[in-house]
Amino acid sequence: MTEETMQTFDSTVYTDDDADGEAIAHKTVAVLGYGSQGHAHAQNLNDSGVDVVVGLRENSSSRAAAESDGLRVETPAEAVAEADIVSVLVPDTVQPDVYEHAIEPNMEAGDTLQFAHGFNIHYNQIQPPEDVDVTMVAPKSPGHLVRRNYENDEGTPGLLAVYQDATGEAHEEGLAYAAAIGCTRAGVVETSFREETETDLFGEQAVLCGGVTSLVKQGYETLVDAGYSPEMAYFECLNELKLIVDLMYEGGLGEMWDSVSDTAEYGGLTKGDVVVDEHARENMEDVLEKVQDGTFAREWIAENQAGRPSYTQLRTAEKNHEIEAVGEELRGLFAWQNDEETEGEEETTEEVSI
Ligand code: NAD
Ligand code: MG
């Protein structure tokens, strides 16, 4: 990264030199929620010298954690009333309720409503008044890495978007916030609430969470139905995926192709598009359309209002898939996974948002 603000393809990437810490230095930030993102933002801001108050319900189990991390804790309403910047880091599904009861009645003109994901603003589940700034600083990493990187003097890449600029200072303040949590050390990409929300939802549905698990299950079932052993099918279709993804993460598709055998490369190059063919592409376009026109958002909001009946059923079915039982047994037999899990300080159940 050069000293200058970098222009890559269509996006602007900001680094430490672009951020002015003064834009946040004398402000109070209310961090609502002390989960994955909340604990990282609150502690990083605090260590960067910003005045932080964590907003949690009286009965929240996170209160003790925030207090033992040396942070001041108030109720969400009290924290908002004190703050200049309200960082909304409770789960997306509860944000509209927290906004209605704790944020909206206690915000003042000129304050900032700050998000780490655009869903509720983009789909109008939260409609802020015109006299506040609305920004997003979204680290592209789960919270425990945002915190760990900061402590190691490393950065976490992030996104910055301004939805509403009532004060004329929203952008500068957003960049200063991104710097204070360590994102400009790595690079902050300028985006919009619409682009972040739609690409995030599409990515998790079509490729990362939905696409990949379907590919794994279909591959596994194809082998097992043809009479191969479940153990072999598990290794080929799930376990080895990590090795492939690690290579792509490190050096793109090219590093992966260079690292596998010529046979694997030729077979993959000729058969990949046969499996994930034009029908899959059409289905992806359909998934994208439903993200863009709000169909998916309406479906998910209604599902939550109904008490999550389909979600519960689908989660149970997924848990009961044969590949899960086979995997559990194999992971128990082999030492490689257990070592890795006990080394990490984070809980392995930590929710990862991508
Ligand atoms: P989380 O589930 O880890 O933590 C939520 C916190 O909110 C918990 O401390 C919980 O106690 C608290 N909470 C729950 N209900 C509450 C209520 N009614 N009132 C007050 N507090 C309440 O959430 P998260 O994953 O950190 O997500 C927060 C935001 O960050 C979301 O907008 C999410 O999309 C975004 N985001 C998450 C990640 C990630 O890796 N987890 C990455 C980027 C962006
Ligand atoms: Mg995501």
Side-chain angles (χ1 to χ4, degrees):
M1 206 93 27
T2 64
E3 303 276 318
E4 303 288 301
T5 301
M6 269 186 46
Q7 194 77 31
T8 62
F9 297 102
D10 292 341
S11 302
T12 305
V13 179
Y14 300 103
T15 57
D16 277 344
D17 294 332
D18 301 308
D20 178 6
E22 275 299 301
I24 200 175
H26 310 290
K27 293 183 173 161
T28 297
V29 180
V31 174
L32 305 187
Y34 204 70
S36 176
Q37 291 295 320
H39 91 283
H41 290 224
Q43 291 188 80
N44 291 4
L45 286 162
N46 186 51
D47 289 352
S48 294
V50 179
D51 184 37
V52 173
V53 52
V54 177
L56 289 169
R57 291 165 297 180
E58 299 280 8
N59 60 353
S60 168
S61 58
S62 304
R63 276 191 164 241
E67 276 163 3
S68 82
D69 289 334
L71 296 164
R72 204 151 55 84
V73 182
E74 307 280 359
T75 64
E78 288 164 348
V80 172
E82 275 189 41
D84 308 295
I85 301 171
V86 179
S87 196
V88 188
L89 299 175
V90 297
D92 296 300
T93 46
V94 311
Q95 286 180 11
D97 187 60
V98 171
Y99 178 78
E100 189 188 331
H101 294 104
I103 301 176
E104 208 266 326
N106 294 296
M107 269 193 111
E108 288 165 21
D111 283 353
T112 300
L113 200 51
Q114 150 72 40
F115 293 87
H117 178 40
F119 189 98
N120 286 301
I121 289 290
H122 181 59
Y123 294 117
N124 299 317
Q125 298 307 295
I126 291 175
Q127 292 176 293
E130 282 174 12
D131 58 7
V132 301
D133 292 347
V134 182
T135 57
M136 169 167 41
V137 175
K140 291 312 281 175
S141 194
H144 68 277
L145 289 180
V146 177
R147 179 59 183 156
R148 191 192 297 166
N149 290 343
Y150 183 91
E151 288 182 295
N152 294 340
D153 291 323
E154 288 161 12
T156 306
L159 306 175
L160 170 67
V162 175
Y163 176 78
Q164 192 167 287
D165 187 5
T167 65
E169 289 161 12
H171 195 270
E172 212 184 344
E173 189 191 79
L175 254 186
Y177 184 106
I181 63 170
C183 287
T184 49
R185 291 177 186 169
V188 171
V189 181
E190 177 100 47
T191 185
S192 65
F193 273 64
R194 171 174 182 254
E195 184 179 55
E196 186 274 338
T197 305
E198 294 179 357
T199 55
D200 186 70
L201 292 174
F202 174 79
E204 62 203 19
Q205 291 172 23
V207 180
L208 303 172
C209 308
V212 134
T213 48
S214 277
L215 196 65
V216 165
K217 285 182 289 185
Q218 302 273 352
Y220 173 90
E221 288 168 19
T222 302
L223 285 177
V224 171
D225 288 354
Y228 297 97
S229 80
E231 291 77 10
M232 290 298 289
Y234 174 83
F235 275 119
E236 285 305 323
C237 298
L238 189 152
N239 183 66
E240 287 191 29
L241 192 58
K242 171 164 169 46
L243 314 175
I244 295 299
V245 169
D246 283 349
L247 291 166
M248 294 198 292
Y249 183 84
E250 247 177 59
L253 303 180
E255 181 158 328
M256 187 279 289
W257 290 128
D258 286 347
S259 308
V260 300
S261 71
D262 290 354
T263 311
E265 186 177 9
Y266 175 76
L269 287 170
T270 55
K271 304 303 177 283
D273 290 350
V274 173
V275 173
V276 183
D277 63 1
E278 70 273 17
H279 301 292
R281 173 59 180 261
E282 281 163 24
N283 292 335
M284 281 191 184
E285 285 166 2
D286 190 49
V287 163
L288 180 59
E289 212 176 289
K290 291 189 164 61
V291 164
Q292 289 171 331
D293 70 12
T295 306
F296 172 76
R298 282 192 294 278
E299 176 190 322
W300 176 224
I301 291 160
E303 175 69 14
N304 276 288
Q305 283 163 353
R308 302 186 162 189
S310 316
Y311 182 38
T312 309
Q313 199 184 351
L314 290 164
R315 292 181 90 185
T316 306
E318 186 81 348
K319 278 196 184 106
N320 292 336
H321 192 285
E322 185 186 281
I323 198 170
E324 292 289 78
V326 174
E328 203 177 329
E329 194 191 326
L330 285 176
R331 290 192 300 269
L333 287 175
F334 291 85
W336 86 99
Q337 178 85 0
N338 299 342
D339 290 349
E340 235 171 62
E341 275 183 5
T342 45
E343 261 171 33
E345 61 204 59
E346 76 276 12
E347 289 168 39
T348 52
T349 51
E350 177 147 17
E351 198 168 304
V352 174
S353 168
I354 32 135

